[in-house]
Amino acid sequence: MAPVLTILHDADALIAVDKPAGLPSTGRNERDRDCVQWALERQVEAPLWAVHQLDKDTTGVLLFVRRKSAVAPWSEALRTGRKRYLALVSGAPTWPFRRLRAALSYDRKARIARVRASGKRADTHFTRLALGEGASWVRAAPRTGRTHQIRAHLAHLGHPIVGDTRYGGPMAPRVMLHNAQIALEGLRLDAPAPVAMVKAGAVHGLMAPADA
């Protein structure tokens, strides 16, 4: 049975959903039932196309469109819009704000992104939101859209995401990364931090930020 998804917006061909953890954004093919796209198509009873992707364990705002022709304009709007992610990271960043411009190259065999001068341009703005006991809340605002960009950049800074063992983070039930907000074309789409992240932060003496 397909999970019931929380729809954040449905108008002008655009559908925004609050993606749960544990499901890929899209399937390997159109018959793959193990993905958000398949579940959402059943829920709204219409074919859909993805505007972007979130990793399997990443939660939060995910965009689809009802017409294939709408993918390109909404993709461009997303590229020039604003995205804010909430991450629970290991350690205590000494910086209140940090911009990291470090090119990334994705290693498909190892399934990780590596910081390499020969890679593709990657630019992320980070803001420290709260310090806890061994972990901290950080806001990540990517200005480019590389695979695993936030995960790789935080690991490069020495603060891998809690649960992101692939990038050296401490063990947790899942990667604690959440797409909290997308703003584009006059729209602001917000998804509250999931219960699992709130509980993970509480372990380190942290309350969930009121505004990620």
Side-chain angles (χ1 to χ4, degrees):
M1 182 179 293
V4 177
L5 302 167
T6 300
I7 295 175
L8 305 171
H9 176 86
D10 186 359
D12 302 322
L14 180 72
I15 297 183
V17 64
D18 188 355
K19 179 190 173 298
L23 275 180
S25 298
T26 58
R28 291 163 291 184
N29 55 59
E30 62 183 15
R31 297 180 301 277
D32 192 345
R33 300 186 176 194
D34 185 29
C35 64
V36 174
Q37 183 177 6
W38 186 88
L40 188 58
E41 285 181 336
R42 270 68 200 162
Q43 190 167 326
V44 302
E45 300 180 335
L48 300 172
W49 289 264
V51 175
H52 65 127
Q53 303 270 343
L54 295 178
D55 293 337
K56 183 176 180 179
D57 274 350
T58 302
T59 55
V61 186
L62 180 62
L63 306 181
F64 292 88
V65 287
R66 290 179 177 269
R67 299 189 305 271
K68 191 173 183 180
S69 61
V71 172
W74 280 111
S75 295
E76 177 61 19
L78 181 64
R79 187 186 68 80
T80 57
R82 185 182 70 206
K83 298 174 285 293
R84 286 184 172 182
Y85 287 73
L86 176 65
L88 182 64
V89 306
S90 177
T94 57
W95 36 263
F97 176 81
R98 178 71 184 267
R99 181 179 185 180
L100 181 62
R101 286 177 281 190
L104 294 173
S105 177
Y106 188 71
D107 184 333
R108 293 189 178 277
K109 186 175 182 180
R111 295 191 300 161
I112 60 173
R114 305 181 190 276
V115 172
R116 287 178 176 163
S118 60
K120 295 181 178 179
R121 185 179 71 90
D123 183 0
T124 316
H125 295 210
F126 294 106
T127 303
R128 186 187 67 204
L129 299 176
L131 298 174
E133 300 166 5
S136 305
W137 288 122
V138 167
R139 176 193 297 142
R143 296 299 192 263
T144 50
R146 307 305 174 201
T147 300
H148 292 187
Q149 178 174 319
I150 295 170
R151 297 166 65 182
H153 273 182
L154 282 168
H156 184 70
L157 291 175
H159 299 289
I161 298 171
V162 171
D164 197 358
T165 55
R166 191 179 301 184
Y167 285 91
M171 289 290 293
R174 67 168 181 82
V175 178
M176 296 298 162
L177 180 64
H178 175 69
N179 189 8
Q181 182 186 113
I182 289 178
L184 74 173
E185 296 293 304
L187 294 173
R188 174 174 159 170
L189 306 167
D190 294 277
V195 172
M197 280 191 71
V198 175
K199 288 182 177 179
V203 170
H204 298 278
L206 290 165
M207 294 181 62
D211 183 13

